[in-house]
Structure formats: structure tokens, C-alpha cells
């Protein structure tokens, strides 16, 4: 079923369908991340009523999954270096399924928090390794588009969950929602987890991990399916040379000159993915809409609409990332997000009771996020680290992402209650301005670069990387001849 460019010579060119299929398999981890990101926003209002939660406890229920997430990403790199990317991803799916079921049957808020921490372990492992796996499989020319599938599946998960929350909320009375409806919302998370686990049964291991594990022939077979025979042999040699040169490496090498800058860039990309404000809107959307006068039914229907719009603009990002470039999209996106956050704050400062303007500004912010700081940090974090340290380094950076995610979930209700909507959103506007400066001054362009070329950039400091390179660079051994 794979589509080869050269008919009659199946091993001379790569199969686009094969690499897309295995990338989609890994990207399904985004469904778990997306489901949990959205489902709690539908359940938290009912949990608040049922358990009489304070603002702090609301934040703890939401942010507890990030506690597990920090632990999950912390161990994922070391685990995957030992047993492989695929087995750790399957473990992640299993943990999230168990957590979803326990959440649905939880008898009190303590059990629910513990279950969410367990679910966070799974999501943390998946969030760190899904894009790492894709990066290690995808050819440079389409690596950005394939890596962005993780974010696309995340947004599809969010959108589908908004619709699911809306349908469940409309299925019974408010009393039923308060006692039972939220259990269905949380419990259905076992469905995407089961799908993820099943699909991974048929996925291959990462070819770069196989080389590291001394299984070069298996790696060559996979690389041949992806790139074709001639390119695969050259790529295998490049991977072996890269790993051989760093045979005695340790995670402490990330603090050495060259890679130290890569680590700083990776950590800041992870932080800005979270602290620019998108998750504040995602987690507390219904509560924010209530602040400007929307009712319960409209809260859920508005979020369902935003989910659909988020999917559309993330699809746009898939087509733009390898054409426009990572850095330029992040510059444009962070500038627009700063403007829309400032305008959102203005609606609260001037007490604009017409919710149309708030919805319009959130739409603009969501669109800008979806094509820039939403998918691109997930793509670049695995890209910028060398083969021998990629999983562990991406895990370190993603710890900061999950830590920032926890802070947003924990403290946003306290900010909204303490400072009000205007000051809260203006703080996020300033953070987006800082993000723009960071991207403009420190982030290199990785479009059309092989992973080994990016590694050499950090070690040698090639200024030319700031400008990217032509897709026709003859020195890149990973350029596969895919049909358009």
C-alpha cells in the first residue's frame, strides 16, 4: 500500500505513505494531551459545586496532572534510551487509560487528584517522546509538517472533547451533571488511550534508537522504507558517525559550550509554549465567559466552536511550517498574540459587557497561537539536540513546559479572582512581547536541515543557520525524493 516514487524500483526512493503512517501513530499521543487539556474545563465547574472547591483547590484539581507530567517527562528520556521510544509510548497510553477509569469512579477529590497525577505520568511520557520519535524518523524536508501532526492531534483531541463535554452537559439536568456527567467526561479519556496503545503495536522502533542499541540492520530496513536505499545507507553512516563520536557522552554535556545554548533555547521554547496564555483560556474558558455574562449552555457551545477553529488553523500551520519557517512564524504569532491579549484585557478594563468583542479577540489569539507558539516549540525542542542526547534533553526541556503548565493551571483562577481580567490578560500580553524578543534574538532557523546538520551548528556556531538553507542542499544526505 505504500506509495513509492519510482515504480518498479521500490527501494530506490522513499515511501511518503509509510513515514506519514508511522508519524501519525506517534502523534496520536497528542490525543491524550488534548483530551485532558479540554476535558477538565468542562468538569471543573461541576466539581467546584460538588466538593465546594476554593480557588486554590480548583487550581490543584486542574494542575495535579501536571505534577505527574513533570515526573513523566523527567524519566521518559532515560527510560526510552534503555528500552526504546515505542515501549515507553505504550506505557504512557496504559497509564492514562487507568487514570481515566479511576477518575470516573473516584469517591472524593483526593482520589481524583491521585488519579490525575497518574494520568500525568502517561501524558508527560507521551508529550516528550511522541515528537522525538517523529523527528528521528522524518526526512528533513517534511520533518516540520510531520512533527506538527502531534499538535494537530492535540487540537483535534481538544476540539472533540469540547463537543463531547457539550453533549454530556446537555444530556441531563444540572444536578445530574454535578454528580454523574463529569464522570463520563473524565472516564471517556480511556478511549483515545486505547487507540494509541493499539496503533503502537504495529509501529516500528525509532531508527536512530536502533542504531544506538546496536541494531543497525533493523534501522537500515526502516530508513530504506522512509528514504530509499541509497539515501538510507548514507544516513545510517551519518548516524553511526554521530553516535561514535559521542560514545562517552552524558547528560552533563548539555552544560558544555555550544550545547548549553541549545539547552537554554529548548527550555525557553518550552516555557513560552505555556506561559503566553493559551492554556489559561483553555482551562478556564467557561469561567472567563461567565465573567462577561454568558450562561452555562453558551459557555460549552462557544468552547466547541473555538475547538473547531483551533483545528482549522493548526492544519494551516502544517502547510506553512516547512515553507515559511519556524522562526518567522513564531515572530509573527507572538506579536499578534501580544496585541490580542492586550485587547482582551481592555474588554475587562472598560467593562465592555458585549461578549462579542471578547470572543473576537480570543479567536484572533487562538489563530495566532495555532500557527506559531502552539506547534513549533514541540517541533523544535527535539530537533535542536544531538542524537546521543535527544530524548534526555527533550525530557529536560519538557519538564519546564509541564512546570509552567502546572503554574498556569494552579494560579490562573487566583489571578482572575485577585487581579481581575484586565490585569491578568495584560500580564500575558507583556509575556508575549518578551517571547517575540527571545525568538528574534536567540532562536535559529532549522527548516530543511538534517538533525545531524543542526547538531553541527551548535558545536561549530555556523551563523548561516539563522537564515536556513535551500531544500536542494546537496550536502544533506537525508533529502528523500518525495512526490508533491
Amino acid at each position: 500500500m505504500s506509495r513509492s516514487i519510482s515504480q518498479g524500483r521500490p527501494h530506490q526512493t522513499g515511501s511518503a505513505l509509510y513515514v506519514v503512517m508511522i508519524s501519525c501513530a506517534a502523534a496520536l499521543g497528542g490525543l491524550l494531551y488534548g483530551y485532558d487539556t479540554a476535558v477538565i474545563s468542562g468538569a471543573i465547574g461541576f466539581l467546584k459545586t460538588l466538593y465546594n472547591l476554593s480557588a486554590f483547590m480548583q487550581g490543584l484539581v486542574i494542575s495535579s496532572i501536571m505534577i505527574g507530567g513533570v515526573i513523566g517527562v523527567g524519566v521518559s528520556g532515560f527510560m526510552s534510551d534503555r528500552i526504546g521510544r515505542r515501549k515507553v509510548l505504550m506505557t504512557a497510553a496504559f497509564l492514562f487509560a487507568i487514570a481515566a477509569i479511576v477518575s470516573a469512579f473516584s469517591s472524593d477529590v483526593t482520589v481524583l487528584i491521585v488519579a490525575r497525577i497518574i494520568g500525568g505520568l502517561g501524558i508527560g511520557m507521551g508529550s516528550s517522546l511522541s515528537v522525538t520519535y517523529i523527528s528521528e524518523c522524518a526526512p528533513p524536508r517534511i520533518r516540520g509538517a510531520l512533527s506538527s501532526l502531534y499538535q494537530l492531534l492535540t487540537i483535534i483531541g481538544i476540539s472533540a472533547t469540547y463537543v463531547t463535554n457539550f453533549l454530556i452537559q446537555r444530556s441531563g439536568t444540572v444536578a445530574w451533571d454535578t454528580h454523574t456527567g463529569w464522570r463520563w467526561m473524565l472516564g471517556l479519556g480511556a478511549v483515545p488511550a486505547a487507540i494509541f496503545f493499539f496503533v503502537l503495536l504495529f509501529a516500528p522502533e525509532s531508527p536512530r534508537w536502533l542504531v544506538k542499541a546496536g541494531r543497525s540492520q533493523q534501522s537500515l530496513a526502516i530508513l530504506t522504507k522512509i528514504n530509499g536505499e541509497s539515501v538510507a545507507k548514507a544516513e545510517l553512516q551519518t548516524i553511526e558517525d554521530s553516535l561514535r563520536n559521542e560514545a562517552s557522552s552524558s547528560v552533563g554535556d548539555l552544560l558544555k559550550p555550544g550545547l548549553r545554548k541549545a539547552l537554554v533555547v529548548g527550555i525557553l521554547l518550552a516555557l513560552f509554549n505555556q506561559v503566553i496564555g493559551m492554556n489559561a483560556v483553555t482551562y478556564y474558558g467557561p469561567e472567563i465567559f461567565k465573567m462577561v455574562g454568558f450562561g452555562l449552555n453558551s459557555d460549552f457551545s462557544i468552547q466547541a466552536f473555538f475547538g473547531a477553529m483551533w483545528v482549522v488553523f493548526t492544519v494551516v500551520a502544517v502547510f506553512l511550517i516547512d515553507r515559511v519557517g519556524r522562526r518567522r512564524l513564531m515572530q509573527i504569532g507572538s506579536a499578534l498574540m501580544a496585541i490580542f491579549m492586550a485587547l482582551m484585557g481592555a474588554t475587562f478594563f472598560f467593562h465592555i459587557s458585549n461578549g462579542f468583542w471578547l470572543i473576537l479577540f480570543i479567536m484572533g489569539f487562538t489563530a495566532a497561537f495555532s500557527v506559531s507558539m502552539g506547534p513549533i516549540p514541540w517541533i523544535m525542542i527535539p530537533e535542536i539536540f544531538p542524537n546521543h542526547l535527544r530524548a534526555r534533553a527533550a525530557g529536560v526541556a519538557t519538564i519546564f513546559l509541564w512546570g509552567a503548565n502546572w503554574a498556569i493551571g494552579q494560579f490562573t483562577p487566583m489571578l482572575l479572582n485577585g487581579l481581575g481580567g484586565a490585569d491578568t490578560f495584560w500580564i500575558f500580553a507583556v509575556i508575549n512581547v518578551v517571547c517575540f524578543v527571545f525568538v528574534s534574538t536567540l532562536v535559529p532557523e532549522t527548516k530543511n536541515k538534517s538533525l545531524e546538520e543542526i547538531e553541527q551548528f551548535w558545536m561549530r556556531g555556523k551563523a548561516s543557520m539563522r537564515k536556513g538553507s535551500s531544500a536542494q542542499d546537496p550536502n544533506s544526505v537525508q533529502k528523500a525524493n518525495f512526490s508533491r
Side-chain angles (χ1 to χ4, degrees), residues 16-222:
L17 181 58
Y18 179 74
V19 72
V20 169
M21 287 176 63
I22 62 176
S23 297
C24 286
L28 283 171
L31 283 179
L32 309 188
Y33 188 83
Y35 191 93
D36 183 77
T37 297
V39 72
I40 197 62
S41 68
I44 191 63
F46 304 124
L47 291 167
K48 176 183 176 182
T49 301
L50 179 64
Y51 296 120
N52 193 26
L53 300 178
S54 64
F56 174 82
M57 286 304 296
Q58 288 179 65
L60 183 59
V61 169
I62 287 180
S63 65
S64 55
I65 203 162
M66 292 70 153
I67 297 172
V70 169
I71 299 171
V73 297
V75 302
S76 63
F78 296 94
M79 287 179 61
S80 68
D81 280 346
R82 286 183 174 273
I83 65 174
R85 317 310 194 211
R86 176 173 164 270
K87 289 180 180 178
V88 176
L89 289 174
M90 294 177 73
T91 302
F94 177 77
L95 288 173
F96 188 80
I98 294 298
I101 294 170
V102 174
S103 296
F105 289 97
S106 59
S107 56
D108 55 50
V109 70
T110 302
V111 174
L112 177 61
I113 289 172
V114 172
R116 286 180 59 74
I117 291 174
I118 294 172
L121 285 170
I123 296 180
M125 291 177 181
S127 66
S128 174
L129 288 180
S130 289
V131 183
T132 296
Y133 175 94
I134 296 171
S135 296
E136 292 184 338
C137 294
R141 191 175 63 168
I142 57 172
R143 188 176 62 241
L146 293 179
S147 296
S148 64
L149 290 175
Y150 177 84
Q151 179 71 4
L152 177 59
L153 267 294
T154 297
I155 305 311
I156 289 174
I158 289 174
S159 181
T161 306
Y162 283 154
V163 173
T164 301
N165 284 351
F166 174 71
L167 294 175
I168 291 173
Q169 181 265 329
R170 294 291 298 271
S171 297
T173 64
V174 173
W176 181 85
D177 288 331
T178 302
H179 291 277
T180 304
W182 64 269
R183 297 182 184 276
W184 282 97
M185 293 178 184
L186 298 180
L188 286 173
V191 175
I195 294 172
F196 188 35
F197 185 91
F198 177 79
V199 170
L200 286 172
L201 291 173
F202 305 95
E205 184 51 82
S206 158
R208 281 172 170 78
W209 182 85
L210 288 171
V211 175
K212 187 173 183 179
R215 295 154 62 180
S216 295
Q217 288 305 309
Q218 290 176 255
S219 175
L220 180 60
I222 297 169

Side-chain angles (χ1 to χ4, degrees), residues 31 71 85 94 100-101 105 115 128 145 157 169 238 268 279 286 290 311 314 323 328 331 363 411 414 456 470 480:
L31 283 179
I71 299 171
R85 317 310 194 211
F94 177 77
I101 294 170
F105 289 97
S128 174
Q169 181 265 329
T238 301
L268 290 176
N279 276 354
K290 286 178 184 176
V311 171
T314 304
R323 291 171 172 81
R328 183 175 298 177
Q331 287 176 307
M363 285 175 59
F411 297 115
M414 301 169 71
Q456 288 302 310
S470 168

Side-chain angles (χ1 to χ4, degrees), residues 318-331:
V318 171
F319 289 97
L320 291 180
I321 283 171
D322 286 318
R323 291 171 172 81
V324 178
R326 283 76 151 148
R327 185 166 172 264
R328 183 175 298 177
L329 283 177
M330 288 193 291
Q331 287 176 307

